[in-house]
Amino acid sequence: MTLPKKLATHPSVLAVQAKPAEKPSPVIDAAWLRELCLAAGADDAAAVSLDHPDLAGERPHVLGALPGTRSLISLVVRMNRDNVRTPARSVANQEFHRSGEIINEAAHKIVRALQDAGYRALNPSATFPMEMERFPGRIWVVAHKPVAVAAGLGAMGIHRNVIHPKFGNFILLATLLVDAEVSSYGAELDYNPCLECKLCVAACPIGAISKDGAFDFSACSTHNYREFMGGFTDWAQTIADSSDAAEFRERVTDSENASMWQSLSFKPNYKAAYCMAVCPAGEDVLSPYLDDRKEFMATVLKPLQDKAETLYVTPGSPAKEYAERRFPHKPVKVVDSGIRRNPG
């Protein structure tokens, strides 16, 4: 194609045209890719085709983010287990956020290497930020959990967390998009590492997980994500609805305000995530539970159950009834979910 004269004589254009044309291999070597991922800081990695039947729902969103995507690369980073298990939520939240930084940094390095090798690649955030203009709809670019399952890096437990066969659910996930096929794709596990021990059911303070496997998303979101999206909106509405400072202080405690400030200043705090904390599944995690289940429950489950903490629920919800009945020593606070749903 003939270029305009001004463009054809530009030094950058001349420099590019003087270089020999190099095209990357149409298929990325799976062994090279895995070595790259582990060297960048991931603890496990596998690729899956965008054409995988279980990812049909992700396809339009992925292609919207990176047209031409052919493969997805799932990354796993381990978390330090006891940091997640402790009743001290500042420690647990620091672990979540630090692990998020590690996996995002690894994803950035991998995409840079893929780019330098001649591929187009994209690394959406492992956690936040997300596409908030879509809230309260789908705010994520790609759903990391189904990608990880399709790539064979784990299976979904009844607590709706992916359980890695070795690391258990003490992991964070990320997904990379790349415009090439990979020589070998991961295969889904032929078993589920979930033990169906129901410790997650026992640990959840607002009954979001049922013994039969049912999951109450609204209950989980209202409490665990109290200082995220909807919960922040409800907090702001409380400010707006208060006639003066004195009324606001009657409605919101000093510790709640301090906690919200901390979330705004140092990344948002999860209120529970106890389902992850108590999960004993995974080959590297399982031994203490097998050795002495009574001791495991006494040292891991019971401290979370006994902790005096405010539980956030919506009016007349099953979560409110469950929390008041099951955990009478935990104060229950009725709040608005903060999520305004479209009518109809």
Side-chain angles (χ1 to χ4, degrees):
M1 181 175 66
T2 303
L3 297 175
K5 183 177 180 181
K6 186 175 181 179
L7 184 60
T9 58
H10 191 282
S12 296
V13 174
L14 294 174
V16 170
Q17 291 179 332
K19 295 179 181 178
E22 295 182 5
K23 289 187 177 181
S25 169
V27 179
I28 299 173
D29 180 73
W32 173 83
L33 178 61
R34 178 172 173 77
E35 183 178 344
L36 170 66
C37 293
L38 298 184
D43 289 300
D44 203 356
V48 60
S49 171
L50 183 58
D51 293 331
H52 192 290
D54 291 349
L55 301 178
E58 295 301 306
R59 185 177 179 83
H61 305 287
V62 166
L63 293 176
L66 183 69
T69 298
R70 304 290 297 277
S71 301
L72 305 175
I73 304 165
S74 182
L75 305 179
V76 166
V77 159
R78 289 183 292 168
M79 290 189 285
N80 294 332
R81 294 190 292 272
D82 286 316
N83 283 351
V84 177
R85 287 173 171 164
T86 178
R89 301 322 292 162
S90 62
V91 178
N93 279 293
Q94 176 72 0
E95 184 64 25
F96 291 136
H97 295 314
R98 180 69 186 113
S99 299
E101 292 166 357
I102 292 170
I103 200 167
N104 279 325
E105 180 65 20
H108 184 269
K109 290 179 180 178
I110 297 162
V111 164
R112 174 65 58 82
L114 290 169
Q115 174 183 279
D116 291 347
Y119 301 102
R120 294 177 62 240
L122 187 77
N123 57 298
S125 175
T127 53
F128 292 90
M130 296 188 189
E131 303 296 300
M132 286 303 170
E133 73 275 8
R134 303 173 186 168
F135 184 79
R138 176 182 168 125
I139 59 177
W140 50 93
V141 174
V142 59
H144 304 309
K145 291 180 182 180
V147 175
V149 171
L153 294 181
M156 199 77 77
I158 65 169
H159 53 8
R160 302 310 191 274
N161 295 308
V162 172
I163 303 175
H164 187 276
K166 284 191 63 180
F167 311 142
N169 76 173
F170 295 95
I171 57 172
L172 285 187
L173 303 170
T175 307
L176 313 182
L177 287 53
V178 62
D179 70 341
E181 295 181 355
V182 178
S183 62
S184 177
Y185 290 122
E188 294 182 61
L189 297 181
D190 58 5
Y191 73 102
N192 192 330
C194 178
L195 305 174
E196 298 188 12
C197 62
K198 308 296 175 65
L199 288 182
C200 55
V201 176
C204 182
I206 36 79
I209 310 166
S210 299
K211 291 181 179 180
D212 62 3
F215 181 69
D216 186 342
F217 171 81
S218 177
C220 178
S221 176
T222 300
H223 177 65
N224 193 37
Y225 286 77
R226 174 62 186 167
E227 292 169 13
F228 293 69
M229 301 92 67
F232 169 79
T233 300
D234 179 59
W235 177 79
Q237 287 173 176
T238 303
I239 297 175
D241 290 344
S242 300
S243 59
D244 54 27
E247 182 184 347
F248 175 68
R249 286 185 173 274
E250 287 180 0
R251 300 174 66 178
V252 183
T253 67
D254 287 347
S255 65
E256 286 177 310
N257 280 321
S259 186
M260 185 64 76
W261 167 82
Q262 181 170 262
S263 283
L264 294 172
S265 302
F266 298 99
K267 297 184 179 180
N269 287 282
Y270 299 89
K271 289 297 184 184
Y274 295 169
C275 57
M276 293 183 68
V278 300
C279 183
E283 293 173 16
D284 288 356
V285 185
L286 189 52
S287 290
Y289 178 72
L290 295 180
D291 292 343
D292 192 335
R293 283 180 289 172
K294 185 176 180 180
E295 175 67 13
F296 185 90
M297 288 187 282
T299 58
V300 178
L301 173 63
K302 197 170 186 302
L304 300 176
Q305 292 177 321
D306 290 347
K307 182 179 180 180
E309 59 188 328
T310 301
L311 304 180
Y312 296 93
V313 298
T314 52
S317 63
K320 180 176 182 296
E321 185 278 329
Y322 181 91
E324 291 174 337
R325 172 176 52 83
R326 183 68 183 81
F327 297 103
H329 61 289
K330 294 177 185 278
V332 173
K333 187 164 187 174
V334 176
V335 297
D336 189 312
S337 69
I339 299 176
R340 182 175 299 173
R341 306 189 190 284
N342 295 327

